[in-house]
Amino acid sequence: MRGSGLKAIIFCWLIYGFFYLNRLNLSPVIPLIMADLEITHSRIGLVGALFYLTYTLIQLPAGFLADTFGATRIIVAGGTISALANLLFGFGNRLLHLVLSQCLNGLGQGCGFTTIIKIIDRHFPVSQRARALGLVMTSTAFFNVAAFYIAALIGEMFGWRTVFFSAGLLFIPVLVFFAWAMKTLDPEKREKGKTLNTPKPGSAENVKSLSRHVLSKKMVLLSLGFFCLCYITYGNLVWLPSFLFETYHLSLPAAGLLAALYPLAGIVSRPLGGYVSDVHFKGKRRQTVLAGWGAVLVSTMLLIHIDNFAVNICLIFIIGFFDNFVGPLFFAWVLDMVPDRHAGSGAGTLQFFGHIGTVLSIYISGLIIDGFHSYRPFFLVLSVVSLTGVIAIWMIDEPKEKYS
């Protein structure tokens, strides 16, 4: 990993981190918004769920547009929309305003990761992709911590609106830098929407090829597995700060910081998962994913029964570690399954089905917490979803080499 490939990792790491600053700044200040606007868990859950609804719906178009016009343009366009949406959210006084702003934010945010997958596919061979993705995705771990702690701190000091104003304003110059920086890559490696000797994106031949790959049985099972992972990941990311705040009566910054252990674990576990899959298992994804997911299942089941604060913090860290451990492997796996020309669309398909789980998780979790006045049923549902994901991955017959 050197030259243009290393630059691609650095640029993608930075830009996706700022996408996360403009995405996860909602979760740490949920208690402040609820108190200020007098809304319930289920209603603020609806705001988060509708964000991920539009985020999910844009995945397939974003991947196709990245394949057609190039990833950099789509990333910059999406980031600009997200920055504007954050600024608008800061002016919200009613539930409808919050919902519409977050729906717009979801459209912009949905143009981020799928297009980054396209860039990684262009710069790295099959044998290095899991490690490259693992390194890029440490960005989410670092910026998750930043989003959780900084948003909670700014919210407590200056009010929740300032959180969204500052995130949107900071994003704009970073987008300008990214657009310039991507032009410095080796022209031979610079991501493009079209390649020679391949069908045009809109041709019948290309559409038939795309359908054959993204609707295969293996892709359906992989998407079900990613659905389950997203349900677990975003259920935890959105509701863990509130769980710690309400259950253990911590201050908002303390709850945000401790909840940030969940994504923080990914700084180590994401590149480690890529290394284990690429090197130890020689490109096999299935064994690595199953090993990590087993740890998630057991730890989540323990959270249902244990009240001890210190033990639960350790369990949250373990779940976060292995959640992040397996996350990048889904995208390395999908790149193994589809031709290079469909990399964006393949990643978009995985994101689309996966984040249906995100939408359901955020809203259903809010309903469960309101209905039972407890977080135990919330963790019980996460355990059932985790078991479903393990079964889906177990049923995949892993390909020995990438399709051509």
Side-chain angles (χ1 to χ4, degrees):
M1 294 186 188
R2 53 188 176 181
S4 64
L6 182 58
K7 287 182 181 179
I9 288 177
I10 293 171
F11 299 154
C12 290
W13 187 94
L14 178 67
I15 196 65
Y16 199 54
F18 273 84
F19 267 90
Y20 257 60
L21 285 181
N22 284 264
R23 179 194 306 184
L24 290 181
N25 49 356
L26 172 63
S27 178
V29 295
I30 281 177
L32 298 179
I33 297 174
M34 290 173 61
D36 183 30
L37 303 183
E38 299 180 349
I39 55 181
T40 64
H41 290 88
S42 56
R43 290 190 174 227
I44 197 68
L46 178 64
V47 174
L50 290 176
F51 163 88
Y52 280 105
L53 177 62
T54 56
Y55 178 87
T56 300
L57 292 175
I58 199 65
Q59 294 301 319
L60 286 171
F64 182 78
L65 290 171
D67 286 338
T68 305
F69 299 109
T72 299
R73 293 178 181 176
I74 307 306
I75 288 173
V76 172
T80 303
I81 293 171
S82 179
L84 176 62
N86 269 267
L87 295 173
L88 292 174
F89 189 88
F91 290 106
N93 286 306
R94 296 183 179 181
L95 181 64
L96 180 61
H97 186 128
L98 301 183
V99 165
L100 292 177
S101 299
Q102 282 297 297
C103 284
L104 182 63
N105 194 23
L107 290 175
Q109 288 282 327
C111 296
F113 190 64
T114 295
T115 46
I116 285 173
I117 297 297
K118 178 72 175 179
I119 294 174
I120 296 301
D121 181 71
R122 299 287 299 181
H123 285 83
F124 293 94
V126 174
S127 62
Q128 296 181 357
R129 283 177 188 156
R131 281 171 285 173
L133 285 167
L135 289 171
V136 169
M137 291 177 71
T138 61
S139 169
T140 65
F142 179 84
F143 282 93
N144 260 305
V145 175
F148 272 53
Y149 185 69
I150 294 174
L153 187 62
I154 292 175
E156 190 166 71
M157 293 176 64
F158 303 106
W160 65 268
R161 299 177 190 278
T162 308
V163 172
F164 298 93
F165 293 147
S166 57
L169 290 173
L170 281 172
F171 201 6
I172 294 171
V174 175
L175 289 165
V176 173
F177 169 78
F178 178 78
W180 168 82
M182 288 300 293
K183 294 179 181 179
T184 68
L185 295 182
D186 180 352
E188 293 300 318
K189 292 289 186 179
R190 194 178 301 159
E191 50 83 18
K192 301 173 184 177
K194 300 177 181 179
T195 53
L196 296 176
N197 302 319
T198 59
K200 293 181 179 180
S203 68
E205 181 184 355
N206 191 70
V207 171
K208 183 177 179 180
S209 172
L210 176 62
S211 299
R212 183 174 68 253
H213 286 95
V214 303
L215 297 178
S216 66
K217 178 183 176 181
K218 294 174 183 177
M219 190 69 178
V220 170
L221 288 171
L222 188 66
S223 296
L224 175 59
F226 193 59
F227 169 97
C228 295
L229 183 68
C230 287
Y231 192 104
I232 295 165
T233 301
Y234 287 92
N236 282 317
L237 287 176
V238 170
W239 291 110
L240 279 179
S242 296
F243 163 68
L244 295 172
F245 179 80
E246 295 172 15
T247 304
Y248 299 106
H249 309 293
L250 303 177
S251 68
L252 199 59
L257 185 61
L258 287 172
L261 290 173
Y262 190 97
L264 181 64
I267 292 177
V268 174
S269 65
R270 286 189 162 180
L272 178 62
Y275 178 84
V276 170
S277 179
D278 277 349
V279 178
H280 182 71
F281 287 116
K282 301 186 185 303
K284 295 293 184 180
R285 316 300 182 196
R286 182 170 174 264
Q287 296 96 321
T288 316
V289 172
L290 286 174
W293 220 330
V296 171
L297 174 60
V298 172
S299 300
T300 304
M301 292 176 65
L302 290 174
L303 274 175
I304 303 170
H305 304 288
I306 296 176
D307 291 320
N308 183 273
F309 173 73
V311 174
N312 279 346
I313 293 300
C314 291
L315 289 173
I316 287 170
F317 181 82
I318 292 170
I319 296 169
F321 184 92
F322 286 103
D323 180 330
N324 286 287
F325 182 84
V326 303
L329 300 181
F330 280 88
F331 294 96
W333 206 343
V334 79
L335 294 180
D336 295 343
M337 292 183 176
V338 302
D340 290 341
R341 67 181 182 275
H342 296 321
S345 298
T349 300
L350 189 66
Q351 285 274 76
F352 173 78
F353 288 107
H355 286 293
I356 292 174
T358 300
V359 174
L360 295 176
S361 176
I362 295 170
Y363 185 58
I364 291 175
S365 296
L367 290 176
I368 290 171
I369 295 165
D370 272 347
F372 291 91
H373 303 288
S374 169
Y375 283 85
R376 289 183 187 276
F378 163 71
F379 292 120
L380 175 61
V381 172
L382 293 189
S383 299
V384 174
V385 171
S386 182
L387 178 60
T388 304
V390 169
I391 294 171
I393 296 303
W394 183 268
M395 293 174 65
I396 299 176
D397 293 324
E398 188 171 18
K400 295 182 179 180
E401 58 183 295
K402 182 174 178 179
Y403 300 147
S404 58

